[in-house]
């Protein structure tokens, strides 16, 4: 397992249920991952990872984070004969370059926000003189989920473009910018398994990206999730399959960029129908922490079928239940925060905890070590119960300066009514 966050912990826990999974190594993993042997090799140390995999005679690799996928880790491992779950570099570009993704959608008629791509600041600024407001400014490349600005005024929009293109606020990622139409409607995350011939959507989910209750405050990596997402009705699912999922898979094949792995569709259900907001070339975090606990089928079996191009032969089933994950963060996240506080997880909650910003002290105690510290998930028959239970578990999992949103699932519950 390459990666070290809550998503990776959720994948590891699920893989551990497989009778075929022997030892799992996590590179670098984190101090809260008891099910894996953590090895201090960074997820972006491609050479280090390949050497380790060869030394340990690794049978199968799962590459979870965006950067090693976009950098081409899967290609390097495959070249050494190590089968992988995750797209090759030429397919991971669907997340690595928003300009690529937008152009793909335009050429293949996949519904998304109208847009223009700019590589020159002056032209972008001139375009903003007449662009409809609000307008959305996006850095082309990976920007830790922070490269999207929704500007209410022209001045704000121009400032964002200047910050990305001249001040290099996101480094090379902002040398190209996309300016796009502002869409409205509920957002839905759909993770899917695809081997390039078949696409199998997983249960839908809803992320809560802002730091504060009521979707206020700064954007974060995600403060909580629920699954399934009530806005993703059967009717919407069918439209998405026909107009987005299959066309995207086929478009990537036609480009000679067959995508094998988890393709994440970030969707907005607008009054005019579902639109693609973004593609990710990997499992979402913290979507995975609610989606995989609902997966009934053996995950390793599904992953291998994806790698070997026989996904059509594996029935992928999800429980008819609901899940809620509440992220316990360090107060101050996503800005500055203190870390190094002792974490107390009740034994009854341990199996439902996904560790992210966690390290182990020399004495073996768990300490906070990041902004998002843990995710706590509950699976129940109804969404209402899942939310209630997740909050009970969140309350009982303690550390100094713990912060969590109090309204995860609220919007989904009111949508159901
Ligand atoms: P992205 O990184 O592309 O997922 O964008 C981050 C967030 O910005 C999304 O989850 C949306 O809430 C918002 N967003 C992105 N693009 C648009 C758009 N065209 N219209 C409205 N909101 C958007
Ligand atoms: N939760 C959004 C993402 O993984 O990008």
């Amino acid at each position: 397992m390459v990666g070290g966050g809550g998503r990776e912990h959720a994948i590891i826990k699920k893989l551990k249920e497989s009778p075929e999974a022997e030892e799992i190594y996590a590179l670098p993993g984190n101090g809260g991952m008891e099910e894996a042997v953590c090895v201090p090799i960074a997820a972006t140390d491609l050479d280090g990872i390949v050497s380790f995999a060869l030394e340990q005679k690794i049978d199968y690799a799962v590459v979870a984070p965006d950067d090693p996928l976009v950098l081409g880790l899967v290609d390097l491992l495959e070249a050494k004969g190590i089968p992988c779950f995750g797209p090759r570099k030429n397919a991971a570009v669907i997340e690595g370059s928003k300009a690529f993704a937008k152009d793909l959608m335009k050429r293949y008629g996949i519904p998304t926000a109208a847009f223009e791509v700019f590589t020159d600041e002056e032209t972008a600024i001139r375009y903003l003189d007449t662009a409809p407001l609000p307008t959305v400014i996006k850095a082309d490349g990976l920007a830790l989920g922070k490269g999207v600005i929704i500007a209410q005024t022209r001045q704000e929009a121009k400032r964002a473009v200047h910050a990305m293109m001249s001040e290099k606020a996101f480094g090379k990622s902002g040398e190209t910018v996309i300016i796009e139409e502002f869409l409205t409607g509920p957002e839905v995350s759909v993770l899917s398994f695809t081997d390039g011939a078949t696409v199998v959507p997983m249960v839908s989910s809803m992320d809560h990206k802002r730091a504060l209750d009521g979707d206020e405050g700064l954007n974060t990596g995600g403060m909580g999730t629920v699954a399934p997402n009530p806005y993703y009705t059967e009717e919407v699912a069918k439209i998405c399959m026909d107009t987005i999922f299959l066309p995207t898979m086929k478009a990537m094949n036609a480009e000679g960029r067959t995508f094998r792995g988890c393709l994440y569709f970030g969707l907005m259900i607008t009054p005019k129908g579902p639109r693609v907001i973004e593609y990710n070339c990997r499992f979402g975090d913290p979507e995975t922490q609610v989606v995989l606990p609902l997966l009934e089928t053996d995950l390793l079996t599904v992953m291998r079928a994806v790698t070997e191009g026989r996904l059509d032969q594996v029935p992928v089933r999800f429980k008819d239940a609901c899940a809620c994950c509440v992220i316990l963060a360090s107060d101050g996240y996503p800005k500055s925060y203190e870390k190094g506080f002792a974490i107390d997880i009740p034994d009854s909650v341990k199996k439902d905890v996904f560790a992210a910003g966690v390290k182990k002290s020399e004495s073996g105690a768990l300490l906070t070590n990041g902004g998002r510290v843990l995710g706590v998930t509950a699976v129940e028959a109804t969404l209402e119960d899942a939310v209630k239970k997740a909050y009970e578990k969140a309350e009982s999992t303690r550390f100094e300066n713990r912060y969590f949103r109090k309204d995860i699932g609220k919007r989904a519950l009111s949508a159901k009514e």
Side-chain angles (χ1 to χ4, degrees), residues 98 102 113-114 136 138 145-150 180-184 187 209-210 219 264 266 268 276-280:
K98 287 188 194 285
K102 295 294 294 191
V136 184
K138 297 186 174 184
K146 298 189 182 103
V148 176
I149 308 288
I150 296 175
E180 71 176 35
E181 175 195 10
F182 176 76
L183 299 176
T184 55
E187 288 183 57
K209 283 186 179 153
R210 303 290 205 92
N219 246 322
Y264 167 129
M268 193 173 271
V276 177
I277 290 285
E278 64 164 347
Y279 292 116
N280 290 326

Side-chain angles (χ1 to χ4, degrees), residues 130-141:
T130 54
L133 292 172
T135 188
V136 184
I137 319 284
K138 297 186 174 184
D140 175 50

Side-chain angles (χ1 to χ4, degrees), residues 185-375:
E187 288 183 57
V188 179
S189 305
V190 179
L191 284 54
S192 70
F193 293 108
T194 177
D195 61 359
T198 308
V199 56
V200 179
M202 296 180 228
V203 62
S204 62
S205 53
M206 182 191 288
D207 194 2
H208 298 67
K209 283 186 179 153
R210 303 290 205 92
L212 307 177
D213 285 5
D215 293 326
E216 304 277 348
L218 295 171
N219 246 322
T220 72
M223 296 302 292
T225 34
V226 294
N229 185 322
Y231 291 103
Y232 192 70
T233 59
E234 263 173 49
E235 191 196 345
V236 170
K238 172 144 193 0
I239 297 172
C240 289
M241 182 54 100
D242 294 343
T243 65
I244 296 172
F245 305 161
L246 287 171
T248 302
M249 185 188 79
K250 289 178 187 164
M252 290 297 276
N253 288 341
E255 296 290 307
R257 297 174 183 273
T258 295
F259 190 104
R260 284 183 207 89
C262 174
L263 181 53
Y264 167 129
F265 299 92
L267 307 170
M268 193 173 271
I269 315 302
T270 76
K272 289 186 189 155
R275 300 283 183 271
V276 177
I277 290 285
E278 64 164 347
Y279 292 116
N280 290 326
C281 66
R282 49 168 177 89
F283 284 95
D285 189 338
E287 284 91 340
T288 306
Q289 291 90 312
V290 285
V291 169
L292 288 188
L294 292 172
L295 179 66
E296 251 171 10
T297 315
D298 180 67
L299 177 60
L300 187 52
T301 303
V302 181
M303 286 183 155
R304 288 189 140 153
V306 167
T307 307
E308 291 162 19
R310 43 178 185 78
L311 181 58
D312 62 329
Q313 289 159 34
V314 180
V316 182
R317 278 188 302 269
F318 285 85
K319 289 186 189 119
D320 184 15
C322 298
C324 174
C325 175
V326 176
I327 298 292
L328 307 188
S330 300
D331 194 19
Y333 172 76
K335 286 189 155 167
S336 63
Y337 49 82
E338 283 181 77
K339 46 191 191 182
F341 298 113
I343 303 171
D344 177 25
I345 309 173
D347 284 338
S348 61
V349 177
K350 277 197 175 130
K351 68 175 198 330
D352 309 308
V353 165
F354 304 113
V358 176
K359 73 172 178 193
K360 213 171 221 168
S361 72
E362 274 169 26
S363 66
L366 297 186
L367 303 176
T368 66
N369 192 40
R372 292 190 300 165
V373 177
L374 303 168

Side-chain angles (χ1 to χ4, degrees), residues 156-179:
E156 204 183 326
K158 289 179 184 179
R159 252 201 323 263
V161 164
H162 186 69
M164 284 180 196
M165 301 190 89
S166 280
E167 293 163 7
K168 307 271 184 234
F170 303 106
K172 278 189 106 49
S173 287
E175 283 178 3
T176 297
V177 303
I178 292 102
I179 301 182

